[in-house]
Amino acid sequence: MEQMTFVSHHHVSELFHNKFIVVLGDSIQRSVYKDLVLLLQEEKYLNLAQLKRKGEMSFEQDCLVEGGCLSLLHNGTEYREVRQYQSAHHLVRFYFVTRIFSDYMESIFNDFRHGLKPDLVIVNSCVWDISRYGLKWGENYKENLSRFFEELNEILPIESLVIWNLTMPLAETIKGGFLVPEISDRAANLRHDVIEANFYSGALANAYKMDVLDLHFHFRFSLHHRIKDGVHWNALAHRRITTLLTLHVADAWGVKLPLNSNARIPVAYQLPAQQIVQRHEAHPPRNNFCPNPARVNGFMNFEAIPPAYWYEDEAFYGSSFHHDPLPYGCSHCPEPSNTHCAACYDWTRPHVMRNRHVRHHYKPYTYHRPGQHFSNDYFYHKVDF
């Protein structure tokens, strides 16, 4: 039975040992933070309630530092939520932001200036920026991106790794907390605006020598893992994001990290094999992305996606997105196939931009960190390790 390939709890825990990770962004980035926090502790997946919940006092032994239910839960641009997970050898912090550069972002930069410098920053801000701050968002967004990247480069040491996540595909019909009634008429155009914004942000991040992870590209044929609101994604998608981020970081730090080919997929995400075969027969293959139904064997995985889902947005994506087919077969697989084993799959795709300077894997913390149970004001003091 073919399984999805993910990084394991053991490898993630070892790679981020004694590392300070900061995640910046919207609700999708919050789920990126949550999946990482969960995987640092055990081999489990997020459930639907954990994906939907925001501003809770505690999630899997983390703590709410600021905003959320400590103040008022709302869907305005002034909503704040700062979370932090701390264990004996890991420190992960999340800031909810609705704009890539603002007075609030300046306050976050002050945390970096006067406190610990993060080893890894995972950041994205797009959908709120292009939907909630006026119709002519282009120039403001590019200007704010430039100010953000420039100031971040000044604050962080050269050893810090910054990964800019490109925004994932939106559906034609969307619902979401950011989509207040005043801008509901713009919902149909947002998926097009996201592609344009991704082009700007990816090019600028690359120009400022940031790493870029193109999640829009990676998930363009995985739209069945997007939930009903057309914006957010399920637990398997977020574990795939964690895998892509972890492998990217390992590559940047010069660490060889194998995939976990024995990952157990929750029953909720399995599809009967007969149903997949029926869909395959109803939608004959049209290019080299066609999976081998005999090897899918009941799983809707990312290496073999039922053709029924490939062309959900074909008119929108166009033929230009049908490029770079996966290699046909490999020395590790017993027969030619477009599905891949963990050993032969090349995760360092050309669509992931690489930074131009070499980073050295290092261990900045030399002292034992205090216990994880602390008061909210402890967040603002420097932690001795």
Side-chain angles (χ1 to χ4, degrees), residues 345-359:
Y345 190 82
D346 181 14
W347 289 90
T348 58
R349 313 294 291 176
H351 307 281
V352 179
M353 303 179 195
R354 317 307 299 177
N355 206 330
R356 286 162 174 71
H357 60 264
V358 177
R359 293 188 182 86

Side-chain angles (χ1 to χ4, degrees), residues 143-369:
E143 181 182 349
N144 287 336
L145 281 168
S146 296
R147 295 174 67 186
F148 172 81
F149 291 138
E150 184 174 351
E151 194 154 343
L152 195 63
N153 270 340
E154 292 175 358
I155 295 170
L156 298 183
I158 195 171
E159 293 87 2
S160 294
L161 174 64
V162 180
I163 299 180
W164 175 261
N165 288 343
L166 295 192
T167 305
M168 301 171 74
L170 298 183
E172 183 176 1
T173 303
I174 63 174
K175 301 178 292 183
F178 71 93
L179 197 66
V180 293
E182 303 90 87
I183 61 169
S184 58
D185 59 324
R186 300 183 56 196
N189 295 323
L190 275 180
R191 60 181 185 154
H192 303 280
D193 292 340
V194 160
I195 292 181
E196 185 178 353
N198 276 344
F199 174 78
Y200 290 145
S201 64
L204 276 172
N206 190 52
Y208 280 94
K209 295 182 171 55
M210 309 288 181
D211 283 30
V212 179
L213 181 59
D214 193 346
L215 295 181
H216 197 288
F217 171 82
H218 282 288
F219 286 87
R220 72 203 188 284
F221 295 139
S222 303
L223 305 181
H224 53 294
H225 288 283
R226 194 170 54 198
I227 64 177
K228 292 182 179 180
D229 67 2
V231 178
H232 298 94
W233 298 73
N234 66 20
L236 283 188
H238 278 285
R239 185 53 51 86
R240 173 78 188 282
I241 294 172
T242 301
T243 297
L244 292 170
L245 286 168
T246 303
L247 292 172
H248 190 112
V249 172
D251 182 57
W253 287 346
V255 178
K256 187 176 181 180
L257 200 66
L259 293 176
N260 179 14
S261 60
N262 296 318
R264 291 186 177 182
I265 302 175
V267 175
Y269 297 106
Q270 298 182 22
L271 193 69
Q274 183 60 31
Q275 188 175 349
I276 292 181
V277 172
Q278 290 173 353
R279 290 184 179 183
H280 180 80
E281 293 172 349
H283 300 268
R286 287 184 278 180
N287 63 14
N288 287 337
F289 282 102
C290 175
N292 181 347
R295 298 188 60 159
V296 173
N297 201 17
F299 289 92
M300 294 176 63
N301 61 52
F302 288 89
E303 286 74 30
I305 299 171
Y309 293 104
W310 289 351
Y311 302 95
E312 177 180 329
D313 285 348
E314 186 180 48
F316 166 53
Y317 287 120
S319 59
S320 62
F321 275 75
H322 300 161
H323 57 73
D324 191 29
L326 301 177
Y328 192 80
C330 70
S331 59
H332 306 88
C333 299
E335 59 185 35
S337 171
N338 285 326
T339 57
H340 285 52
C341 66
C344 70
Y345 190 82
D346 181 14
W347 289 90
T348 58
R349 313 294 291 176
H351 307 281
V352 179
M353 303 179 195
R354 317 307 299 177
N355 206 330
R356 286 162 174 71
H357 60 264
V358 177
R359 293 188 182 86
H360 302 285
H361 188 64
Y362 75 116
K363 297 182 178 180
Y365 310 137
T366 56
Y367 299 101
H368 177 70
R369 181 185 289 113

